Amino acid sequence: MAERGASGRSLAGSDLAAVPAHPPLGVWLAASAIAALLLLILIHLPDWLPRSQTLIANPHSLHLDRLGAAAPGTTRVVAIGSSKLQMAIEHDDVFAAAMTVQPMLRLHRITWDSAQYTDLRPAFEALEQHPPQLLVLESDLLVFDYTQARDATAPSISLSTRLRRTVRLLSQRFRNGASGAELNRGVDRALSEAECAARKAPQSVQRYAEEVLTWRLSGPQFRAPYLAHLRALQRSGTRIVLLEIPRSPAAQSVVPATFEAGAIALAQSLATTENFDLWRAPRGTESDYCDQGHASDTGQHHFSAWLRDRLSDWMSSPHG
């Protein structure tokens, strides 16, 4: 028996055949155009959105209240950087406990994951109120501009790499500040051997090689806000050190030689023109790294010991 439609008349076979089995071609084309537009927006969204400062530029998250507390006669050293510095250098109390040669030296580690100027601006402003004797600044902050593609002539970047970059940058801009606050209070979480092994798998190195192609060296406008604070600190008597933290050997092997040479030259130029010191940490073995740029527990022990020696030498020098 034939079914009846809403009007009450039967739906004959010819009527059912008249109902299209698939949407018209125009609908497919419109849907495809909308999907392509959304994908384009997703890829470029991080470059169009302003960085959120609600959870990032937060003095509490950076634990800046510690900067004003120091015993008389203490030499105050502040180390500022990204997660790269955070994983390479022990936190304040752990670092100080092993500082047997110069027990009156106190180091404060201030870091933020994938840090940019807006993340660390409160720290620089606080330092101008409480200038330390020495500021150790991760050189990557001044040398590299990770916020945009290196240049229009760079080799083609895969779509998957662009999407990963988008997701990462968006998560950085709108992330919760709780994790960063814990790290600045010394609650370091060491990654397991399995986590580190996954981060160093061949496919991870390949993704890193593609990501390198999106980097570019910083320009004067990018560096200007950093340099304004650093020059103010110099006028207050603070010595500035640019600290180069090396990549893992595997990561270094995929960085184009010309780009690396440009980065080294820029760091040296900044040190010369701005009267900064330039310290280069020694490159460790693969076991010193948990991934392409972040130290393992073993690496943190080695890098921290090296920095303690450099600080002891600095204290013993005329600059100390």
Side-chain angles (χ1 to χ4, degrees):
M1 183 176 179
E3 295 184 20
R4 294 187 175 274
S7 63
R9 71 183 182 87
S10 63
L11 296 177
S14 60
D15 295 319
L16 290 174
V19 178
H22 302 287
L25 178 60
V27 174
W28 284 110
L29 292 176
S32 299
I34 293 173
L37 178 61
L38 291 175
L39 183 60
L40 182 65
I41 291 174
L42 182 62
I43 291 173
H44 294 286
L45 189 59
D47 297 325
W48 298 338
L49 288 174
R51 290 180 63 87
S52 170
Q53 297 183 26
T54 304
L55 294 174
I56 297 176
N58 187 330
H60 176 73
S61 296
L62 297 175
H63 189 19
L64 300 180
D65 52 310
R66 56 189 155 148
L67 296 180
T74 300
T75 298
R76 295 172 54 248
V77 178
V78 174
I80 292 183
S82 67
S83 57
K84 193 175 178 181
L85 177 69
Q86 177 260 316
M87 294 187 73
I89 304 301
E90 296 158 347
H91 191 259
D92 306 21
D93 293 337
V94 178
F95 190 91
M99 196 74 196
T100 56
V101 177
Q102 299 288 352
M104 292 305 291
L105 185 146
R106 183 69 175 174
L107 179 139
H108 297 302
R109 189 194 71 189
I110 301 173
T111 61
W112 199 261
D113 183 28
S114 301
Q116 297 293 324
Y117 170 71
T118 49
D119 302 317
L120 299 172
R121 182 180 62 192
F124 289 113
E125 292 173 345
L127 287 177
E128 290 184 27
Q129 300 300 315
H130 304 283
Q133 281 89 344
L134 185 70
L135 172 61
V136 178
L137 183 70
E138 181 186 327
S139 63
D140 284 8
L141 297 180
L142 281 180
V143 171
F144 297 112
D145 179 358
Y146 296 112
T147 61
Q148 353 185 1
R150 197 167 132 195
D151 57 50
T153 62
S156 177
I157 308 302
S158 70
L159 179 60
S160 61
T161 297
R162 291 183 185 277
L163 289 175
R164 281 195 301 272
R165 174 175 175 265
T166 297
V167 172
R168 187 186 71 252
L169 290 177
L170 285 175
S171 68
Q172 291 164 7
R173 293 185 180 188
F174 300 107
R175 63 189 178 271
N176 187 289
S179 176
E182 290 182 351
L183 294 174
N184 282 300
R185 294 181 182 276
V187 187
D188 288 349
R189 187 185 81 84
L191 297 180
S192 67
E193 291 186 7
E195 288 175 305
C196 291
R199 290 180 171 213
K200 293 195 290 186
Q203 59 268 31
S204 296
V205 177
Q206 178 58 39
R207 288 196 295 268
Y208 182 82
E210 294 185 0
E211 188 70 26
V212 168
L213 299 178
T214 70
W215 297 354
R216 74 171 187 180
L217 300 182
S218 68
Q221 185 175 0
F222 179 90
R223 297 190 296 267
Y226 286 109
L227 293 177
H229 292 295
L230 297 178
R231 290 164 182 165
L233 286 168
Q234 284 179 315
R235 291 192 293 269
S236 298
T238 298
R239 190 71 187 171
I240 309 296
V241 170
L242 297 184
L243 175 62
E244 290 188 1
I245 303 174
R247 307 175 191 89
S248 72
Q252 187 60 39
S253 68
V254 301
V255 177
T258 54
F259 185 66
E260 178 70 3
I264 293 174
L266 178 55
Q268 187 61 62
S269 175
L270 287 168
T272 301
T273 58
E274 299 292 338
N275 195 28
F276 300 156
D277 291 333
L278 181 60
W279 293 358
R280 293 187 172 97
R283 192 183 312 281
T285 65
E286 284 296 333
S287 64
D288 288 316
Y289 296 88
C290 186
D291 59 16
Q292 290 71 44
H294 297 89
S296 62
D297 275 355
T298 300
Q300 186 182 79
H301 175 76
H302 291 160
F303 290 131
S304 296
W306 170 84
L307 183 58
R308 275 188 286 269
D309 289 342
R310 286 304 304 258
L311 291 174
S312 294
D313 292 343
W314 173 76
M315 288 278 290
S316 302
S317 72
H319 295 299

